[in-house]
Amino acid sequence: MMQKIVTIERFILENQPQHAVGDFTNLLYDIALAAKLIAHKTTRAGLVDILGRAGATNIQGEEQEKLDVYADQIMFRLCDHTGRLCVMASEEHKNIVEIPEEFPKGRYVLIYDPLDGSSNIDVNVSVGTIFAIFRCVDWEKRGRLEDCLQPGRKLVAAGYVLYGSSTMLVYSTGNGVHGFTLDPEIGEFLLSHENMTMREPPGYYSVNHSYFGRWSTGVQEYVRWLQGRNKSEIVLSERYIGSLVADFHRNLQKGGVFLYPAETRKPNGKLRLLYEAAPLAFLAEQAGGYASNGRMPILDIEPTSLHQRVPLFIGNRPLVEMAEELIAQHDPLPPDHPTNDQ
Ligand code: FBP
């Protein structure tokens, strides 16, 4: 039977959550438009001088790629003047991104990683944009840091855009996970994957094995279990693109687990709680999966800083819970460890 043709705009409008009075809907429209503009550049990346380094470094001390500067600018310029936001935070900026005084402030907080996996751009590997939306803590005041430092449980929406063989926008407002594919000919995101769920049984596990020697015993035992060793009956194949959005998207559709554990050189892992782990954890739980830092749900972690990193285990719930079990078994926390009382 022919798939119904539904644009993302119509789907957003018809599926507005109760709290929406228009600005939430329009904010999602803004993000869809930003995705189209960024997709336009990514698909032509090999042609125009957008590749290569921007000659600047970002807060993470990483050399900025031109495309991620462009993507960051697009998100900002599309969202700073609309009166829908009280504040923004970007993976590319050290501090919160304030709404210019001359523009009205709104009721929502937009947090985004403008171009995740940017180190893959030069080699034409899929990259992504990740976004998360909270409500402002105090509507009377202009945006502040505390508006951004909210636990993932408080998210009202999250999603990502995958710039791959086709461009897809996948999001949730707490009412299931839905995917839209960009039809470049008409420039419209059309509903292509309604009510996405983590497929059972799972097919894949995704991890950068080169760090094996630097993982804790619990994580090493877990990865051996994923490989079907140590009497584990699990049968998974291994896939690792090294681009979080692409790895997560595959596992969302085919079932599986992605992990970026802590390791001796990165005691809190590499991925950022606010821009990467929490938005994808929101999607994972909406799709029937789960996300953990190895000890507790990612969505229950109270952020303490804008760019804090967190170990991430995300995918089918039984796979992630096994990580928690083996880490608890092999890496007992010292009795006075704070996580014990959270
Ligand atoms: P950026 O935010 O700097 O792009 O880094 C994030 C990322 O590229 C993820 O997309 C990916 O999962 C991970 O880093 C790959 O890291 P590694 O190269 O250590 O496996």
Side-chain angles (χ1 to χ4, degrees), residues 7 81 150 201 209 297 306:
T7 65
H81 59 285
Q150 300 187 55
H209 273 288
L306 266 186

Side-chain angles (χ1 to χ4, degrees), residues 23-288:
D23 47 0
F24 180 74
T25 304
N26 289 322
L27 175 55
L28 290 175
Y29 289 171
D30 299 338
I31 293 168
L33 178 53
K36 292 178 190 174
L37 291 166
I38 298 167
H40 182 61
K41 287 282 184 205
T42 56
T43 45
R44 297 166 54 253
L47 301 173
V48 294
D49 181 27
I50 204 146
L51 283 181
R53 309 258 176 255
T57 57
N58 68 13
I59 172 65
Q60 329 294 344
E62 295 151 347
E63 276 210 52
Q64 283 183 309
E65 304 280 352
K66 285 184 186 156
L67 201 50
D68 51 8
V69 174
Y70 172 82
D72 184 59
Q73 289 290 319
I74 286 290
M75 288 293 264
F76 177 72
R77 287 170 46 212
L78 258 170
C79 297
D80 70 335
H81 59 285
T82 60
R84 304 185 234 285
L85 298 174
C86 67
V87 70
M88 293 186 259
S90 162
E91 191 237 4
E92 294 297 327
H93 295 260
K94 183 166 183 298
N95 300 312
I96 61 172
V97 180
E98 297 187 34
I99 301 299
E101 287 291 336
E102 68 264 33
F103 298 131
K105 76 166 204 64
R107 303 177 319 138
Y108 294 100
V109 178
L110 176 63
I111 293 186
Y112 60 93
D113 181 352
L115 210 70
D116 186 79
S118 50
S119 51
N120 293 301
I121 299 169
D122 288 16
V123 288
N124 213 352
V125 166
S126 304
V127 291
T129 293
I130 307 174
F131 64 90
I133 301 172
F134 290 106
R135 280 201 202 91
C136 302
V137 173
D138 178 339
W139 293 2
E140 300 316 315
K141 296 205 174 76
R142 293 196 78 88
R144 300 158 302 156
L145 180 58
E146 46 264 54
D147 289 304
C148 301
L149 299 183
Q150 300 187 55
R153 288 276 172 231
K154 293 256 176 84
L155 283 167
V156 290
Y160 59 82
V161 186
L162 175 63
Y163 310 102
S165 48
S166 64
T167 297
M168 275 195 74
L169 194 160
V170 175
Y171 83 100
S172 177
T173 57
N175 177 15
V177 177
H178 311 286
F180 300 78
T181 301
L182 180 62
D183 179 331
E185 266 156 45
I186 58 171
E188 287 286 357
F189 276 108
L190 301 179
L191 180 63
S192 53
H193 300 69
E194 191 165 7
N195 286 320
M196 302 170 83
T197 52
M198 288 272 171
R199 198 189 74 181
E200 288 285 354
Y204 297 103
Y205 77 95
S206 317
V207 66
N208 186 333
H209 273 288
S210 66
Y211 304 139
F212 190 93
R214 299 205 297 259
W215 291 331
S216 68
T217 312
V219 173
Q220 290 180 343
E221 284 305 312
Y222 176 58
V223 171
R224 289 195 187 96
W225 178 83
L226 289 171
Q227 294 167 333
R229 294 154 62 180
N230 300 359
K231 305 193 200 65
S232 138
E233 272 120 39
I234 195 125
V235 181
L236 295 172
S237 180
E238 211 266 339
R239 289 278 185 288
Y240 189 72
I241 297 170
S243 187
L244 174 62
V245 173
D247 281 312
F248 177 79
H249 186 72
R250 181 204 43 255
N251 293 351
L252 175 58
Q253 296 195 87
K254 303 285 186 189
V257 61
F258 169 94
L259 54 153
Y260 203 112
E263 45 109 334
T264 46
R265 292 189 194 154
K266 301 182 193 113
N268 292 310
K270 176 185 183 180
L271 303 174
R272 267 72 58 168
L273 173 61
L274 282 175
Y275 308 98
E276 294 162 321
L280 297 184
F282 182 81
L283 292 173
E285 294 211 4
Q286 279 291 314

